[in-house]
Amino acid sequence: MSADLTVDTGYAVDPDALDAAAARLAALAADLGVVGLDLVSIATDPAFAASAAIAPASAARVATAIGDLLVGRRTPVAAAATLAALAVEVETAALRYRVGDEVADAVVAVARRAVAQAVVEWAPEIAGATAVVVGADVLRHVGTAEYRVLAGAVAQVLRTGTVDLAELGADAGEEFAGVDDAVADDLRGVGRFLAAHPEVAQEVVATTPYLLEAAGLPRVDGVAGVAGALTALGAVAPVFRETGVAVRPATTARATPSRPPRGIAEVLDGVAHQSTGYEGQASVGGRLAPAGTPAPGGIRLERITQADGGVAWVVEIPGTQTWTPVPAAGRTPMDLTTNLRAVAGEPTATADAVVQAMRQAGVGAGQPVMLAGHSQGGLTAAALAADPAVRAEFDVTHVVTAGSPIDGIDVPDSVEVLSLEHTGDLVPALDGETAAGSAHRTVVARDVGDDPRFAADIAQDPLKAHGWSAYIATAQLVDGSGDPALQGFRDSGSAFFDAPGARVETFDHYAERVDPAPAVASRVEPQRST
C-alpha cells in the first residue's frame, strides 16, 4: 500500500498573514499613541488646574498618576513605539519571503536613508524637549512611517513582481516628510506640559537610557553615558563621527562694535550676532553696526584695551547651527555631533576651533579671557574653562552661559561662572542635574513666561524660552540688578567692560570641518564633575 508523504523540514509561512499582522500592529501603535498624547492634553487642560484649588489632595494624586504615565518606563507612547517597531520587523520578514534577502535589504536601506534625512528635520524639536514621551513619540512615528515604506514595497511586488527602488525612495521621502509635522504637533502638548512642570525635566532625562533599551540599543546609565553611546556609532557609521576642523580669519568686517561691552547683555548680544538665527535685529545699546545673518561657523574675539594699557579678551561662541547627525568636510562644527560629544565629556571640533581662533588672534599669556556662549556655545565655553591644557595656555578667568547644560562640567574655582537659565527652558536640564550656585558660580533663574514681551510666543511654543532674544532680556535685568553676587561678578570682570579711555578691536574667524583630521589639531578634553 502506498501513501503520499508530505515532508516539512521547517515552518510554513504565509506572507499574506504576515502583512495582515504587521498592519494590525501598526494600527494598534497609532491608537495607543493617541491615548498617550490625550494624557498630555488632560495634564495641560486649564480645567484640571482649576480643580486643584477645589480638591488639592485628589488633584495631587491624579497629577502623580498622569506623571507616571507620561514619563514612566511603560508609557502608552513608549508601548506604541514598540508596536510600531514590531510592525516593521514583521513586514520586513514578509518582504524577505516574497523577494529574497538581497532585494529586501535594498528596500530597508531606502527606508533607513529616509529615516536619517527625517532625523535632521526633527532634531531641533527633539533636542529642545528631550523627554521619554517625546522620544518615544518620535520612535512611534518613525516606526509607522518605516512600516508604510515596507508595505509599499510589498504592494509593488504584488502589482509588478519586482521593486522599483527609485519610486520607493520618492515615496519614502514623502512619507517621512509628513512625520515632521506630526511630531511637531505632538510636541506642542508635551512642551506645554514640561514647561508647566520644569521640575520633571531631570527625571525625564534620567529615564532616557530606558528609551534606548526599548529601541534595541545597548543600555547605558547617565546622560553622559547616553551621549557616549550615540557618539560611539561614529566608529561603524558616518553619524556623530568627529572630524578635524580648520579655522580662517574673516576677510570682511561685520557688525563692528563702537566700544567695548558695558555689561552681560551686550556680551550676549555679541554672541547672538554670530548665530545663524540672527536676522538683523537691533543691537543692544546700539553698540554693534547693523549686519545681516552671518555665515555658519563664526567665532568672534573682542580685544579690550583699557586706558592703562591692560588687555583682556571676550570670546563669543554661538550655539548649534545645524542639526545634521552626519558631519562632513565644509560644514560648520557647531552641530549635533558637537552637542552629543560635549555632553559625553569628549573632545569636540567646536572647542578645537575656539582654541585655534584664540591662537590666531594672538591672545597672550596672562591676558584675562572671558568665554561666553548660548546653548552649545556655553557648553563649549565651560568645557574649555575646565580643561587644564587650555588654562595652561590661556588665562581663562570668566565664563558666561545662557541656556546651557553645564552642571556636569567641573569648572575650577579659579574661574568665575555666570549661568542664566530660564525655568521653562528644557535645554539646561539636559545634563540631568539641578543647577546649583557656589562661591564661584552664580546661577540666575527666571520664568521668562512672565515677561509680556515673550509670554504669548512661549504659550504657543514653549521652546521659545530657549531663544537668545529672551536670554538677552534676562541679561539686561542682570546688568541692572543690585544683587551682591551679580555685582561681584561684574566687578571681578571689569577688565572686559567699557570704561573711560577703553577701546575695542574685533577678530572674526570662521570654522569648518575637514576630513581627515589635521595632525596639528588640538583636542580639548573637558573635565567632568563627579
Side-chain angles (χ1 to χ4, degrees):
M1 181 177 178
S2 65
D4 293 328
L5 300 178
T6 299
V7 179
D8 188 355
T9 59
Y11 294 98
V13 175
D14 181 357
D16 290 339
L18 291 177
D19 290 338
R24 181 58 179 157
L25 288 169
L28 288 172
D31 292 344
L32 196 53
V34 170
V35 170
L37 295 171
D38 282 346
L39 288 170
V40 175
S41 298
I42 294 171
T44 56
D45 190 328
F48 175 69
S51 69
I54 301 173
S58 298
R61 289 193 295 271
V62 173
T64 300
I66 292 176
D68 289 341
L69 288 171
L70 284 173
V71 302
R73 291 180 59 182
R74 296 177 177 85
T75 71
V77 180
T82 302
L83 288 174
L86 185 57
V88 169
E89 293 180 9
V90 173
E91 191 65 7
T92 301
L95 187 63
R96 291 187 187 283
Y97 276 107
R98 284 195 167 94
V99 297
D101 288 343
E102 184 175 353
V103 175
D105 287 342
V107 170
V108 170
V110 168
R112 287 177 177 171
R113 279 195 295 272
V115 170
Q117 181 61 39
V119 167
V120 175
E121 302 298 330
W122 305 330
E125 288 87 357
I126 297 170
T130 301
V132 166
V133 64
V134 176
D137 191 45
V138 170
L139 288 180
R140 174 174 71 90
H141 285 299
V142 168
T144 300
E146 190 172 0
Y147 157 73
R148 288 173 180 162
V149 172
L150 295 170
V154 170
Q156 282 189 12
V157 172
L158 294 176
R159 186 174 66 250
T160 66
T162 186
V163 174
D164 183 335
L165 293 179
E167 179 185 342
L168 190 66
D171 292 343
E174 293 180 4
E175 187 67 54
F176 283 99
V179 174
D180 185 22
D181 293 335
V183 173
D185 287 342
D186 294 347
L187 279 170
R188 290 189 183 96
V190 175
R192 281 193 295 271
F193 173 78
L194 292 176
H197 303 278
E199 71 280 359
V200 175
Q202 276 82 22
E203 178 63 25
V204 167
V205 172
T207 62
T208 302
Y210 299 110
L211 175 59
L212 290 178
E213 185 179 48
L217 297 176
R219 167 71 185 279
V220 293
D221 291 320
V223 175
V226 172
L230 293 175
T231 60
L233 294 173
V236 295
V239 294
F240 312 130
R241 179 179 294 171
E242 191 57 289
T243 69
V245 64
V247 177
R248 56 179 173 80
T251 56
T252 57
R254 177 187 170 277
T256 53
S258 59
R259 53 173 171 74
R262 288 178 178 162
I264 304 304
E266 291 188 352
V267 168
L268 289 181
D269 185 42
V271 173
H273 275 68
Q274 312 311 310
S275 168
T276 51
Y278 174 81
E279 298 177 344
Q281 291 88 339
S283 168
V284 176
R287 186 177 80 98
L288 301 175
T293 300
I299 301 167
R300 165 167 285 187
L301 288 86
E302 297 193 32
R303 181 168 66 189
I304 292 92
T305 304
Q306 298 292 343
D308 62 1
V311 174
W313 298 79
V314 176
V315 183
E316 298 160 358
I317 313 167
T320 308
Q321 298 181 337
T322 177
W323 295 94
T324 175
V326 184
R331 292 176 176 170
T332 173
M334 298 159 188
D335 55 17
L336 187 56
T337 296
T338 286
N339 283 338
L340 288 173
R341 291 182 65 86
V343 171
E346 299 172 359
T348 72
T350 298
D352 198 351
V354 173
V355 169
Q356 291 188 45
M358 293 170 71
R359 290 171 180 162
Q360 291 182 24
V363 178
Q367 295 176 342
V369 174
M370 172 186 285
L371 300 170
H374 168 247
S375 196
Q376 181 195 112
L379 184 59
T380 298
L384 287 165
D387 183 45
V390 172
R391 296 197 310 277
E393 184 174 356
F394 304 106
D395 186 16
V396 178
T397 61
H398 290 71
V399 168
V400 175
T401 70
S404 304
I406 68 166
D407 300 305
I409 297 179
D410 190 14
V411 179
D413 291 347
S414 61
V415 180
E416 297 292 331
V417 180
L418 174 63
S419 298
L420 309 185
E421 300 188 1
H422 292 155
T423 55
D425 181 6
L426 299 178
V427 175
L430 296 183
D431 51 26
E433 301 184 25
T434 301
S438 68
H440 301 282
R441 183 188 181 196
T442 302
V443 178
V444 176
R446 179 188 179 218
D447 186 354
V448 73
D450 289 340
D451 189 325
R453 292 171 292 178
F454 307 104
D457 286 343
I458 291 174
Q460 183 176 4
D461 180 4
L463 302 183
K464 295 288 187 182
H466 184 60
W468 52 258
S469 295
Y471 273 107
I472 288 175
T474 297
Q476 289 175 312
L477 296 177
V478 167
D479 289 334
S481 173
D483 183 273
L486 296 177
Q487 185 63 51
F489 183 88
R490 292 193 298 268
D491 291 345
S492 70
S494 61
F496 305 106
F497 300 128
D498 193 23
R503 63 184 188 274
V504 62
E505 300 168 84
T506 58
F507 299 80
D508 290 336
H509 296 79
Y510 289 97
E512 65 179 25
R513 289 187 176 275
V514 293
D515 197 21
V520 296
S522 64
R523 289 300 179 189
V524 180
E525 295 281 359
Q527 306 298 301
R528 308 300 297 185
S529 63
T530 56

